[in-house]
Amino acid sequence: MPTASGATALRLPRPPARLDRPSLFLDLDGVLAPFAPSPDAVEPDPRRTKVLRRLIRRLEGRVAVVSGRTLSEIDRISDGAAMAASGVHGLQRRRGDGGRLDRKPDPAVRRAMRAFSDFARTRPGVIVEDKHLSAGLHFRQAPQVSVEALALAEALQRETGLDLQPGVMVLELKTPGTDKGAAIVEFMAETPFSEGTPVMVGDDLTDEHGFEAAERLGGFGVLVGPERPTAARYRLTDVAEVLDWLEGLAEDMA
């Protein structure tokens, strides 16, 4: 998935401190919020909420959260700050005016949920997440099961035709048809995003589609976390650096 635009640059620079009319697309976990032992342990944060609200105001609405989380979870964690948002890797999308565009779930997601639940039942620390449009298998608290978890997910993907989306200590089988990159393309076809240059900020493999889409549309990606081959042009080390950078952008747009 990573492309040559970033694969040869293993020392990616920090993103520019000033941007001319950006349209920002921000992942949630690992970017705006630190990882936690379980998905529901991530809580709202006053600094995050303030930064988002200020950016949305300064950029005239050109800010969207693009996450693997559901829209309801994005709302909970962002404390309602992000009106424009895409959830479940592009399968849910809400415009800045509140209009929603959701895909229909593939019936095979229920089969994946049953198989993941059976797997987790005998493996303490493994968490199954039902997003209706996808089934997630989290093993952050049980890293020793990673190999057999991947084998199960790959077998289910072959049997069902669902898309397998790996993440950080999570495997997700989702309704096919879209991804974060496709969501960005859809946002960029609409105002106010079409009036800016796309910038995608993400941390893991689920965000590579977003980096690639931003690049194709004349913008760029920002990788958060350790160096690795990536389609992103720039890098920030962690959530704290992301929030510092976003606060600087908001100040610059004043």
Side-chain angles (χ1 to χ4, degrees):
M1 191 182 301
T3 62
S5 61
T8 58
L10 294 179
R11 294 191 63 81
L12 297 174
R14 286 177 56 88
R18 289 189 169 190
L19 297 176
D20 183 24
R21 291 191 65 79
S23 289
L24 290 178
F25 300 98
L26 309 171
D27 187 21
L28 189 55
D29 294 285
V31 174
L32 291 174
F35 288 108
S38 63
D40 59 359
V42 179
E43 298 288 346
D45 174 76
R47 182 188 181 195
R48 179 193 312 131
T49 301
K50 181 179 179 181
V51 169
L52 283 173
R53 288 180 173 156
R54 192 177 186 198
L55 271 173
I56 291 166
R57 185 172 64 253
R58 295 284 167 80
L59 297 184
E60 301 176 318
R62 299 190 311 276
V63 180
V65 172
V66 179
S67 174
R69 297 259 189 176
T70 63
L71 288 179
S72 61
E73 278 290 277
I74 292 172
D75 290 344
R76 179 183 69 82
I77 294 168
S78 71
D79 202 18
M83 178 55 71
S86 172
V88 198
H89 311 286
L91 291 167
Q92 295 179 325
R93 194 167 73 86
R94 183 176 62 210
R95 298 188 301 261
D97 61 7
R100 285 189 58 159
L101 303 162
D102 292 4
R103 306 294 179 101
K104 292 183 178 180
D106 190 307
V109 170
R110 308 325 304 163
R111 179 178 172 185
M113 275 298 302
R114 289 192 296 270
F116 281 174
S117 296
D118 289 344
F119 181 86
R121 194 168 293 117
T122 57
R123 293 165 178 84
V126 176
I127 297 171
V128 179
E129 185 178 13
D130 185 356
K131 300 182 185 178
H132 187 54
L133 291 156
S134 72
L137 189 67
H138 297 261
F139 46 91
R140 180 173 295 277
Q141 300 180 72
Q144 70 278 4
V145 309
S146 60
V147 173
E148 55 181 332
L150 179 59
L152 171 63
E154 288 178 336
L156 286 167
Q157 191 240 351
R158 290 191 297 269
E159 294 166 9
T160 63
L162 295 172
D163 283 351
L164 174 57
Q165 181 64 72
V168 179
M169 304 302 282
V170 60
L171 295 164
E172 195 164 343
L173 285 166
K174 69 183 188 70
T175 298
T178 191
D179 54 42
K180 291 183 180 181
I184 289 174
V185 170
E186 291 171 356
F187 276 122
M188 288 298 296
E190 302 166 350
T191 55
F193 294 95
S194 60
E195 299 166 358
T197 300
V199 177
M200 171 67 191
V201 187
D203 69 305
D204 67 20
L205 292 177
T206 69
D207 299 306
E208 289 296 332
H209 295 298
F211 298 153
E212 292 164 1
E215 189 78 26
R216 286 196 308 272
L217 294 170
F220 58 83
V222 180
L223 174 67
V224 180
E227 295 273 9
R228 61 169 171 80
T230 178
R233 287 198 220 172
Y234 303 100
R235 186 176 76 91
L236 294 165
T237 59
D238 53 26
V239 172
E241 268 202 6
V242 171
L243 293 178
D244 288 344
W245 181 66
L246 293 176
E247 284 175 338
L249 290 182
E251 184 67 27
D252 185 59
M253 298 290 175

